[in-house]
Amino acid sequence: MKTFKKVYVEITSVCNLACSFCPPTERLANFIKLDKFNNILDQIKPHTSYIYLHVKGEPLLHPRIDELLEAAYTKGFKVNITTNGTLIAKNREKLLGKPALRQMNFSLHSFDGNEGALNREQYLSQILSFTREAAESGVLISFRLWNLQRENATSAEKRRNRETLEMIEKEFNLDFKIEEKVMPGSGVKIADRIYLNQDYEFEWPSLQVPEDDGKGFCHALRTQAAILVDGTVVPCCLDGEGVIKLGNINQTPFSDIVEGERANNLYDGFSRREAVEEMCRKCGYRKRFGV
């Protein structure tokens, strides 16, 4: 039986932002119901102990996020949440003190990626206020800036990034500039249980882009699987449109889906360092793992 380090459970396909780096979903707007969520947890329990409430959509838009966390705790799961952070003040009391909550990932690049964002100081101040209390209660915090500047970065882009980093440096009384220590793909420890991760912006895979020779490796269905809000099971968190439909958890048991023919063909293909799915051959993330 396949086991995973994590399973992504998308609790909504709706987002309150329109970021330049994140293509909007063409799927129907949807929020998971509590009974469907509990059914998913029961089915994936033999396969993992860690769930990530994210694929597309903004999880803090879910009006019953606190009840979802309580359900996860009841069934023995640890929960990671990835959020753009804009709704953290509104959801503060729904998150703090929830024993299932293991880690909060704040995609800080969302602020500059969203056209019309105006008040950086207010945005970061609300996140930092939550962060202090959450970290003290044992929650891990990751500030994500997946926007490391390439050689052609404009002076305005560099300045905006520096403003964000300066606020973090000031908040935690750092005696170094974060850029001096950050390495692409790795984290810099900011304080106890608080990290900053920077990396280059990645491109979501799309069937509209050219495919390459298909060589390479991926951890899809090895360390992770993902379940979209309508119950569609996909091999990884980058299949945000459900292109590689392995099955639907509301119709077929999860254990059968991840051991099904299409799933095993994908898994065996990557064992040979070959991408057998068209979407995988058009996914640049695969190249991070070499050939």
Side-chain angles (χ1 to χ4, degrees):
M1 183 179 68
K2 290 187 177 73
T3 57
F4 308 105
K5 290 183 178 179
K6 55 197 173 188
V7 172
Y8 291 83
V9 181
E10 183 186 71
I11 60 175
T12 180
S13 56
V14 180
C15 189
N16 61 325
L17 300 183
C19 296
S20 58
F21 55 81
C22 186
T25 182
E26 296 180 3
R27 295 182 284 123
L28 294 175
N30 201 353
F31 290 83
I32 202 167
K33 301 292 192 295
L34 186 58
D35 61 337
K36 296 288 188 182
F37 185 71
N38 274 307
N39 176 51
I40 287 173
L41 297 185
D42 288 338
Q43 291 198 46
I44 67 175
K45 184 59 183 173
H47 299 269
T48 192
S49 297
Y50 296 89
I51 57 175
Y52 285 54
L53 302 186
H54 185 63
V55 177
K56 284 291 191 74
E58 168 50 53
L60 298 191
L61 275 175
H62 200 292
R64 303 176 73 178
I65 184 70
D66 51 342
E67 295 179 44
L68 300 183
L69 286 170
E70 289 162 3
Y73 176 69
T74 298
K75 296 181 183 296
F77 287 92
K78 290 294 185 181
V79 178
N80 288 25
I81 295 177
T82 298
T83 172
N84 60 43
T86 57
L87 302 174
I88 194 63
K90 180 180 178 181
N91 286 276
R92 184 185 185 100
E93 301 309 316
K94 290 185 176 182
L95 299 171
L96 290 172
K98 291 294 185 291
L101 185 58
R102 173 184 176 269
Q103 181 167 327
M104 290 289 296
N105 304 315
F106 290 98
S107 298
L108 301 185
H109 46 277
S110 301
F111 184 87
D112 289 321
N114 185 53
E115 185 176 351
L118 298 174
N119 196 330
R120 184 189 309 275
E121 185 172 357
Q122 180 185 54
Y123 167 72
L124 288 172
S125 294
Q126 291 177 344
I127 291 174
L128 292 170
S129 174
F130 172 87
T131 292
R132 285 192 293 269
E133 192 166 349
E136 287 174 1
S137 66
V139 177
L140 292 168
I141 303 292
S142 172
F143 299 133
R144 292 181 172 182
L145 277 171
W146 286 353
N147 63 350
L148 273 179
Q149 306 298 342
R150 302 183 188 278
E151 292 180 1
N152 61 350
T154 66
S155 58
E157 289 172 331
K158 293 178 180 178
R159 174 179 52 78
R160 290 195 295 266
N161 220 37
R162 180 92 286 273
E163 288 172 357
T164 294
L165 296 176
E166 279 179 358
M167 284 195 66
I168 295 172
E169 291 162 1
K170 182 178 179 181
E171 170 71 19
F172 296 101
N173 297 313
L174 301 184
D175 59 0
F176 59 89
K177 285 190 174 183
I178 292 172
E179 298 101 314
E180 297 170 356
K181 294 196 175 184
V182 73
M183 294 289 290
S186 63
V188 174
K189 186 172 184 179
I190 301 299
D192 192 27
R193 291 185 289 275
I194 301 174
Y195 299 84
L196 186 139
N197 297 83
Q198 280 194 281
D199 210 333
Y200 296 106
E201 178 182 327
F202 72 87
E203 293 185 9
W204 287 85
S206 168
L207 292 178
Q208 274 63 59
V209 303
E211 61 181 72
D212 56 26
D213 61 6
K215 300 298 183 182
F217 179 77
C218 181
H219 291 282
L221 295 178
R222 279 180 157 77
T223 64
Q224 65 169 278
I227 304 168
L228 303 182
V229 67
D230 67 352
T232 298
V233 178
V234 293
C236 76
C237 63
L238 292 184
D239 189 359
E241 290 304 291
V243 173
I244 307 175
K245 294 179 173 65
L246 302 177
N248 191 292
I249 201 168
N250 297 317
Q251 301 160 3
T252 306
F254 181 78
S255 295
D256 292 347
I257 292 173
V258 296
E259 294 293 353
E261 181 179 5
R262 190 172 189 181
N264 283 331
N265 285 342
L266 184 148
Y267 183 99
D268 294 341
F270 280 125
S271 295
R272 302 188 304 269
R273 301 303 191 265
E274 295 177 7
V276 300
E277 292 280 351
E278 180 185 3
M279 174 66 81
C280 298
R281 293 194 297 272
K282 296 181 175 182
C283 178
Y285 208 81
R286 164 174 48 89
K287 299 173 184 177
R288 298 190 179 201
F289 306 112
V291 293

